[in-house]
Amino acid sequence: MKSGFAAAIIEWQAQHGRHDLPWQREPVDPYCVWLSEMMLQQTQVVIVIPYFERFIACFPTIQKLATAQPDQVMALWSGLGYYRRAQYLHAAAKLIIDDYGGTMPDHVDGLMRLPGIGRSTAGAIVSLAWNRPAPMLDSNAKRVLCRHQAVSEDSGKILWQTAQDHVPCHDARAYTQGLMDLGSMICGARAPLCPNCPVGATCKAWNSNSIGDYPKRKSLRARKLVEVFWGVAVNSAHSCIWLQKRPLHGIWAGLWSFPDFSNEKESKRWLYEIGSPHRPVVQSYPAKDHKLTHRHLRIYPAVAKVNSGTGVGAFADEGWIHVADLANLALPAPVRVLCDELLGSVNTGCCG
DNA sequence: AACTCGGGGAT
DNA sequence: ATCCCAGAGTT
Protein backbone atom coordinates (compact mmCIF):
# COMPACT_ATOMS: atom_id res chain seq x y z
CA MET A 1 0.00 0.00 0.00
CA LYS A 2 1.05 3.58 -0.47
CA SER A 3 0.09 5.55 2.57
CA GLY A 4 0.61 9.22 3.21
CA PHE A 5 2.66 8.13 6.19
CA ALA A 6 5.21 6.25 4.13
CA ALA A 7 5.32 8.96 1.47
CA ALA A 8 6.01 11.61 4.09
CA ILE A 9 8.77 9.52 5.68
CA ILE A 10 10.38 8.85 2.31
CA GLU A 11 10.36 12.49 1.30
CA TRP A 12 11.68 13.60 4.67
CA GLN A 13 14.46 11.01 4.51
CA ALA A 14 15.62 12.31 1.14
CA GLN A 15 15.87 15.85 2.44
CA HIS A 16 16.90 15.46 6.06
CA GLY A 17 17.94 11.86 6.63
CA ARG A 18 21.40 10.36 6.84
CA HIS A 19 23.11 9.47 3.58
CA ASP A 20 26.77 9.26 4.49
CA LEU A 21 26.96 6.30 6.84
CA PRO A 22 29.74 3.86 5.93
CA TRP A 23 27.33 1.03 5.07
CA GLN A 24 25.35 3.31 2.77
CA ARG A 25 28.23 3.78 0.33
CA GLU A 26 27.32 3.06 -3.27
CA PRO A 27 27.00 0.55 -4.59
CA VAL A 28 25.19 -0.76 -1.53
CA ASP A 29 26.69 -4.08 -0.44
CA PRO A 30 24.22 -6.46 1.28
CA TYR A 31 27.08 -7.88 3.31
CA CYS A 32 27.91 -4.39 4.61
CA VAL A 33 24.27 -3.80 5.47
CA TRP A 34 24.12 -7.11 7.28
CA LEU A 35 27.32 -6.41 9.21
CA SER A 36 26.09 -2.97 10.20
CA GLU A 37 22.76 -4.33 11.41
CA MET A 38 24.51 -6.93 13.52
CA MET A 39 26.85 -4.38 15.05
CA LEU A 40 24.09 -1.85 15.64
CA GLN A 41 21.90 -4.14 17.72
CA GLN A 42 21.40 -2.54 21.13
CA THR A 43 23.97 0.15 20.54
CA GLN A 44 24.39 3.43 18.70
CA VAL A 45 25.65 4.57 15.32
CA VAL A 46 28.51 6.69 16.69
CA ILE A 47 29.83 3.71 18.62
CA VAL A 48 29.64 1.32 15.71
CA ILE A 49 31.29 3.32 12.92
CA PRO A 50 34.94 2.75 13.91
CA TYR A 51 34.26 -0.93 14.61
CA PHE A 52 32.56 -1.27 11.24
CA GLU A 53 35.44 0.36 9.37
CA ARG A 54 38.03 -1.86 11.05
CA PHE A 55 35.98 -5.00 10.49
CA ILE A 56 35.21 -4.36 6.83
CA ALA A 57 38.84 -3.46 6.12
CA CYS A 58 39.89 -6.80 7.56
CA PHE A 59 37.03 -8.91 6.18
CA PRO A 60 35.77 -7.11 3.06
CA THR A 61 33.73 -10.08 1.80
CA ILE A 62 31.64 -12.91 3.22
CA GLN A 63 34.24 -15.32 1.85
CA LYS A 64 37.02 -13.64 3.82
CA LEU A 65 34.92 -13.65 6.96
CA ALA A 66 33.92 -17.29 6.53
CA THR A 67 37.53 -18.44 6.42
CA ALA A 68 38.74 -16.18 9.22
CA GLN A 69 40.04 -17.40 12.54
CA PRO A 70 37.41 -17.09 15.29
CA ASP A 71 39.85 -15.27 17.55
CA GLN A 72 40.44 -12.62 14.92
CA VAL A 73 36.72 -12.05 14.45
CA MET A 74 36.26 -11.72 18.20
CA ALA A 75 39.23 -9.37 18.47
CA LEU A 76 37.60 -7.00 16.01
CA TRP A 77 34.46 -7.06 18.14
CA SER A 78 36.42 -6.41 21.32
CA GLY A 79 34.83 -3.56 23.26
CA LEU A 80 31.58 -3.56 21.34
CA GLY A 81 29.77 -5.93 23.68
CA TYR A 82 27.16 -8.64 23.16
CA TYR A 83 29.88 -10.88 21.82
CA ARG A 84 27.53 -13.66 20.77
CA ARG A 85 26.65 -11.45 17.83
CA ALA A 86 30.16 -11.90 16.44
CA GLN A 87 29.92 -15.67 16.80
CA TYR A 88 26.53 -15.68 15.09
CA LEU A 89 27.86 -13.52 12.28
CA HIS A 90 30.85 -15.76 11.74
CA ALA A 91 28.74 -18.92 11.83
CA ALA A 92 26.27 -17.41 9.38
CA ALA A 93 29.07 -16.43 6.99
CA LYS A 94 30.29 -20.02 7.00
CA LEU A 95 26.77 -21.27 6.35
CA ILE A 96 26.40 -18.94 3.39
CA ILE A 97 29.68 -20.13 1.87
CA ASP A 98 29.24 -23.81 2.65
CA ASP A 99 25.49 -24.34 2.20
CA TYR A 100 24.19 -21.37 0.19
CA GLY A 101 26.74 -21.35 -2.61
CA GLY A 102 28.18 -18.09 -1.34
CA THR A 103 25.00 -16.12 -1.91
CA MET A 104 23.26 -14.28 0.91
CA PRO A 105 19.53 -15.00 1.22
CA ASP A 106 17.65 -11.99 -0.14
CA HIS A 107 14.33 -12.52 1.63
CA VAL A 108 13.13 -12.34 5.23
CA ASP A 109 12.51 -16.05 5.79
CA GLY A 110 15.89 -17.08 4.46
CA LEU A 111 17.72 -14.45 6.47
CA MET A 112 15.90 -15.42 9.65
CA ARG A 113 17.25 -18.95 9.32
CA LEU A 114 20.73 -17.54 9.84
CA PRO A 115 21.97 -17.24 13.42
CA GLY A 116 21.73 -13.77 14.93
CA ILE A 117 19.19 -12.47 12.42
CA GLY A 118 15.70 -11.99 13.82
CA ARG A 119 12.62 -10.55 12.25
CA SER A 120 13.60 -6.91 12.61
CA THR A 121 17.17 -7.33 11.38
CA ALA A 122 15.93 -9.44 8.46
CA GLY A 123 13.43 -6.77 7.47
CA ALA A 124 16.05 -4.06 7.74
CA ILE A 125 18.47 -6.00 5.56
CA VAL A 126 15.91 -6.79 2.85
CA SER A 127 14.76 -3.19 2.58
CA LEU A 128 18.13 -1.48 2.97
CA ALA A 129 20.19 -3.90 0.91
CA TRP A 130 17.78 -4.68 -1.95
CA ASN A 131 15.27 -1.86 -1.67
CA ARG A 132 12.43 -4.33 -1.41
CA PRO A 133 9.46 -3.95 0.95
CA ALA A 134 9.85 -5.61 4.34
CA PRO A 135 8.76 -4.47 7.78
CA MET A 136 11.37 -3.59 10.37
CA LEU A 137 10.77 -2.91 14.05
CA ASP A 138 13.80 -1.63 15.86
CA SER A 139 13.51 0.69 18.82
CA ASN A 140 13.32 3.72 16.51
CA ALA A 141 10.45 2.27 14.51
CA LYS A 142 8.73 1.12 17.69
CA ARG A 143 8.83 4.59 19.18
CA VAL A 144 7.67 6.31 15.99
CA LEU A 145 4.81 3.87 15.43
CA CYS A 146 3.79 3.75 19.09
CA ARG A 147 3.40 7.51 19.16
CA HIS A 148 1.88 7.89 15.72
CA GLN A 149 -0.76 5.27 16.42
CA ALA A 150 -0.98 5.92 20.18
CA VAL A 151 -0.30 2.29 20.92
CA SER A 152 0.43 1.69 24.56
CA GLU A 153 0.56 -2.08 24.56
CA ASP A 154 4.06 -3.42 24.59
CA SER A 155 3.00 -6.63 22.89
CA GLY A 156 4.77 -7.02 19.60
CA LYS A 157 1.76 -8.33 17.75
CA ILE A 158 0.04 -5.00 17.29
CA LEU A 159 3.22 -3.14 16.46
CA TRP A 160 4.37 -5.69 13.92
CA GLN A 161 0.99 -5.49 12.24
CA THR A 162 1.26 -1.71 12.23
CA ALA A 163 4.77 -1.91 10.83
CA GLN A 164 3.62 -4.31 8.13
CA ASP A 165 0.66 -2.11 7.21
CA HIS A 166 2.81 0.94 6.61
CA VAL A 167 5.52 -0.60 4.44
CA PRO A 168 5.36 1.00 0.98
CA CYS A 169 5.58 -0.96 -2.27
CA HIS A 170 8.33 1.29 -3.55
CA ASP A 171 11.28 3.07 -1.96
CA ALA A 172 11.49 0.57 0.88
CA ARG A 173 15.10 1.53 1.47
CA ALA A 174 14.33 5.21 1.97
CA TYR A 175 11.33 4.30 4.10
CA THR A 176 13.24 2.01 6.47
CA GLN A 177 16.16 4.40 6.67
CA GLY A 178 13.68 7.21 7.20
CA LEU A 179 11.99 5.46 10.12
CA MET A 180 15.35 5.01 11.79
CA ASP A 181 16.52 8.53 11.02
CA LEU A 182 13.24 9.99 12.22
CA GLY A 183 13.36 7.96 15.43
CA SER A 184 16.87 9.11 16.15
CA MET A 185 16.78 12.71 14.90
CA ILE A 186 13.20 13.90 15.53
CA CYS A 187 11.13 11.34 17.41
CA GLY A 188 13.77 10.74 20.06
CA ALA A 189 13.19 9.05 23.37
CA ARG A 190 14.02 12.16 25.37
CA ALA A 191 12.95 15.40 23.80
CA PRO A 192 11.06 14.79 20.57
CA LEU A 193 11.05 17.69 18.10
CA CYS A 194 7.42 17.25 17.13
CA PRO A 195 7.01 20.63 15.37
CA ASN A 196 9.62 19.45 12.85
CA CYS A 197 8.08 16.01 12.33
CA PRO A 198 6.94 15.12 8.80
CA VAL A 199 4.12 12.94 10.14
CA GLY A 200 3.09 15.17 13.03
CA ALA A 201 -0.19 16.08 11.35
CA THR A 202 -1.42 12.49 11.68
CA CYS A 203 0.36 11.59 14.93
CA LYS A 204 -2.24 10.57 17.50
CA ALA A 205 0.06 11.11 20.46
CA TRP A 206 1.14 14.56 19.30
CA ASN A 207 -2.38 15.63 18.44
CA SER A 208 -3.64 14.52 21.84
CA ASN A 209 -0.70 16.19 23.56
CA SER A 210 0.38 12.88 25.06
CA ILE A 211 3.76 12.23 23.47
CA GLY A 212 5.19 11.56 26.92
CA ASP A 213 2.92 8.55 27.36
CA TYR A 214 4.52 6.60 24.52
CA PRO A 215 6.12 4.22 24.38
CA LYS A 216 5.28 2.69 27.70
CA ARG A 217 8.12 2.79 30.21
CA LYS A 218 9.96 -0.44 30.77
CA SER A 219 10.05 -1.46 34.38
CA LEU A 220 13.63 -1.57 35.48
CA ARG A 221 15.03 -4.01 37.93
CA ALA A 222 17.81 -3.30 40.37
CA ARG A 223 21.28 -4.35 39.34
CA LYS A 224 22.77 -7.12 41.39
CA LEU A 225 26.14 -6.30 42.89
CA VAL A 226 28.77 -8.90 42.03
CA GLU A 227 32.26 -8.71 43.49
CA VAL A 228 35.12 -10.08 41.43
CA PHE A 229 38.75 -10.47 42.44
CA TRP A 230 41.28 -10.40 39.62
CA GLY A 231 44.76 -11.83 39.80
CA VAL A 232 46.86 -9.54 37.63
CA ALA A 233 50.39 -10.76 36.98
CA VAL A 234 52.65 -8.37 35.09
CA ASN A 235 56.16 -8.91 33.84
CA SER A 236 57.32 -5.40 33.12
CA ALA A 237 60.76 -6.50 31.95
CA HIS A 238 59.22 -8.45 29.11
CA SER A 239 56.12 -6.26 28.69
CA CYS A 240 53.78 -9.15 29.08
CA ILE A 241 50.77 -9.99 31.21
CA TRP A 242 49.00 -13.20 32.18
CA LEU A 243 45.57 -13.76 30.69
CA GLN A 244 43.26 -16.70 30.32
CA LYS A 245 40.37 -17.45 28.06
CA ARG A 246 36.98 -17.29 29.75
CA PRO A 247 34.45 -20.14 29.64
CA LEU A 248 32.24 -20.38 26.59
CA HIS A 249 29.09 -19.62 28.55
CA GLY A 250 28.14 -16.58 30.59
CA ILE A 251 29.50 -13.09 30.58
CA TRP A 252 32.37 -12.36 28.16
CA ALA A 253 32.20 -15.91 26.84
CA GLY A 254 35.42 -16.93 25.14
CA LEU A 255 37.12 -13.59 25.69
CA TRP A 256 40.53 -13.15 27.32
CA SER A 257 40.55 -11.88 30.87
CA PHE A 258 42.41 -12.09 34.15
CA PRO A 259 41.99 -15.14 36.34
CA ASP A 260 39.14 -14.27 38.67
CA PHE A 261 38.55 -15.42 42.22
CA SER A 262 35.82 -15.09 44.79
CA ASN A 263 37.97 -13.33 47.38
CA GLU A 264 41.21 -11.40 47.72
CA LYS A 265 43.02 -14.16 49.54
CA GLU A 266 42.65 -16.53 46.61
CA SER A 267 43.76 -13.97 44.07
CA LYS A 268 46.89 -13.24 46.10
CA ARG A 269 47.63 -16.91 46.61
CA TRP A 270 47.49 -17.38 42.85
CA LEU A 271 49.87 -14.46 42.34
CA TYR A 272 52.40 -16.01 44.74
CA GLU A 273 52.19 -19.24 42.80
CA ILE A 274 52.74 -17.67 39.41
CA GLY A 275 55.56 -15.56 40.85
CA SER A 276 57.43 -18.39 42.52
CA PRO A 277 60.19 -19.04 43.27
CA HIS A 278 60.39 -15.31 43.87
CA ARG A 279 57.92 -13.69 46.20
CA PRO A 280 56.25 -10.88 44.28
CA VAL A 281 55.04 -7.71 45.88
CA VAL A 282 51.27 -7.74 45.58
CA GLN A 283 49.54 -4.41 45.63
CA SER A 284 45.82 -3.93 45.73
CA TYR A 285 44.55 -1.74 42.96
CA PRO A 286 41.61 0.63 43.40
CA ALA A 287 38.34 -1.20 42.84
CA LYS A 288 36.70 -0.66 39.49
CA ASP A 289 32.95 -0.48 39.03
CA HIS A 290 31.65 -1.85 35.78
CA LYS A 291 27.92 -1.65 35.19
CA LEU A 292 26.09 -4.01 32.89
CA THR A 293 22.40 -4.12 32.16
CA HIS A 294 21.51 -6.35 35.08
CA ARG A 295 24.73 -6.64 37.00
CA HIS A 296 27.02 -4.26 38.77
CA LEU A 297 30.52 -5.66 38.79
CA ARG A 298 32.86 -4.42 41.50
CA ILE A 299 36.29 -5.51 40.40
CA TYR A 300 39.16 -5.74 42.87
CA PRO A 301 42.43 -6.18 40.97
CA ALA A 302 45.42 -7.52 42.92
CA VAL A 303 48.49 -6.63 40.90
CA ALA A 304 51.91 -8.25 41.16
CA LYS A 305 55.04 -7.60 39.18
CA VAL A 306 56.74 -10.92 38.68
CA ASN A 307 60.02 -11.97 37.04
CA SER A 308 58.92 -15.32 35.74
CA GLY A 309 57.31 -15.66 32.38
CA THR A 310 57.98 -14.30 28.96
CA GLY A 311 55.74 -13.63 26.04
CA VAL A 312 54.58 -16.77 24.31
CA GLY A 313 53.38 -16.81 20.74
CA ALA A 314 51.47 -20.06 20.71
CA PHE A 315 49.02 -20.23 23.56
CA ALA A 316 46.10 -22.52 24.18
CA ASP A 317 43.70 -20.90 26.58
CA GLU A 318 46.00 -19.12 29.02
CA GLY A 319 49.48 -17.70 29.19
CA TRP A 320 51.77 -14.72 29.07
CA ILE A 321 50.62 -12.25 26.47
CA HIS A 322 52.99 -9.65 25.08
CA VAL A 323 51.72 -6.09 25.02
CA ALA A 324 52.08 -6.00 21.25
CA ASP A 325 49.67 -8.93 20.92
CA LEU A 326 46.94 -7.41 23.06
CA ALA A 327 45.69 -5.31 20.16
CA ASN A 328 44.68 -8.45 18.29
CA LEU A 329 43.08 -10.20 21.24
CA ALA A 330 39.42 -10.16 22.25
CA LEU A 331 39.40 -8.37 25.59
CA PRO A 332 36.36 -7.15 27.53
CA ALA A 333 36.35 -3.38 27.88
CA PRO A 334 37.45 -3.20 31.53
CA VAL A 335 40.25 -5.70 30.89
CA ARG A 336 41.59 -3.58 28.06
CA VAL A 337 41.42 -0.50 30.26
CA LEU A 338 43.45 -2.14 33.01
CA CYS A 339 46.00 -3.54 30.54
CA ASP A 340 46.32 -0.06 29.16
CA GLU A 341 46.94 1.38 32.61
CA LEU A 342 49.60 -1.19 33.41
CA LEU A 343 51.43 -1.61 30.11
CA GLY A 344 50.61 1.42 28.00
CA SER A 345 48.55 1.86 24.88
CA VAL A 346 46.62 -1.28 24.01
CA ASN A 347 44.18 -0.25 21.35
CA THR A 348 42.13 -2.59 19.25
CA GLY A 349 44.10 -3.42 16.15
CA CYS A 350 43.19 -4.39 12.62
CA CYS A 351 44.14 -7.74 11.24
CA GLY A 352 47.37 -9.12 12.59
C1' DA B 1 6.82 -13.81 29.61
C1' DA B 2 11.08 -13.39 31.69
C1' DC B 3 16.01 -13.86 31.33
C1' DT B 4 20.64 -13.41 29.41
C1' DC B 5 24.01 -10.86 27.03
C1' DG B 6 28.05 -5.05 27.11
C1' DG B 7 29.16 -0.87 26.78
C1' DG B 8 28.89 3.95 26.31
C1' DG B 9 26.43 8.39 25.17
C1' DA B 10 23.24 11.83 26.86
C1' DT B 11 21.06 14.36 30.47
C1' DA C 1 22.46 8.41 38.83
C1' DT C 2 19.11 7.07 35.18
C1' DC C 3 17.56 5.94 30.66
C1' DC C 4 18.43 4.52 26.36
C1' DC C 5 20.22 2.38 22.22
C1' DA C 6 19.40 -0.30 14.04
C1' DG C 7 17.60 -7.21 19.27
C1' DA C 8 18.09 -12.19 19.32
C1' DG C 9 18.20 -16.56 21.60
C1' DT C 10 17.11 -19.38 25.48
C1' DT C 11 14.36 -20.97 29.34
Side-chain angles (χ1 to χ4, degrees), chain A residues 34 62 91-115 117:
Chain A
W34 171 32
I62 300 177
K94 290 188 205 172
L95 271 176
I96 290 171
I97 296 302
D98 295 341
D99 296 353
Y100 291 70
T103 304
M104 225 177 117
D106 60 356
H107 52 282
V108 169
D109 289 345
L111 286 166
M112 285 182 69
R113 283 187 213 114
L114 295 173
I117 302 182

Side-chain angles (χ1 to χ4, degrees), chain A residues 11 124 325:
Chain A
E11 185 182 348
D325 295 326

Side-chain angles (χ1 to χ4, degrees), chain A residues 75 239-241 243 256 310-315 320-331 336 343 345-349 351-352:
Chain A
S239 294
C240 55
I241 195 164
L243 294 175
W256 291 81
T310 58
V312 290
F315 41 74
W320 291 102
I321 309 295
H322 193 272
V323 60
D325 295 326
L326 288 173
N328 295 315
L329 219 54
L331 307 179
R336 193 172 295 281
L343 293 173
S345 182
V346 182
N347 293 323
T348 302
C351 308

Side-chain angles (χ1 to χ4, degrees), chain A residues 263-345:
Chain A
N263 59 62
E264 186 176 30
K265 197 173 181 179
E266 288 182 20
S267 65
K268 287 187 173 177
R269 188 195 313 165
W270 179 82
L271 285 171
Y272 289 134
E273 275 180 32
I274 193 105
S276 74
H278 307 286
R279 189 167 180 81
V281 176
V282 177
Q283 48 182 327
S284 295
Y285 226 68
K288 295 171 163 295
D289 282 339
H290 188 75
K291 293 191 175 73
L292 294 79
T293 301
H294 42 287
R295 266 181 252 180
H296 178 164
L297 299 183
R298 181 154 292 160
I299 300 165
Y300 299 94
V303 181
K305 296 196 190 318
V306 303
N307 297 318
S308 59
T310 58
V312 290
F315 41 74
D317 55 0
E318 63 178 354
W320 291 102
I321 309 295
H322 193 272
V323 60
D325 295 326
L326 288 173
N328 295 315
L329 219 54
L331 307 179
V335 174
R336 193 172 295 281
V337 168
L338 185 54
C339 286
D340 191 71
E341 290 173 8
L342 295 170
L343 293 173
S345 182

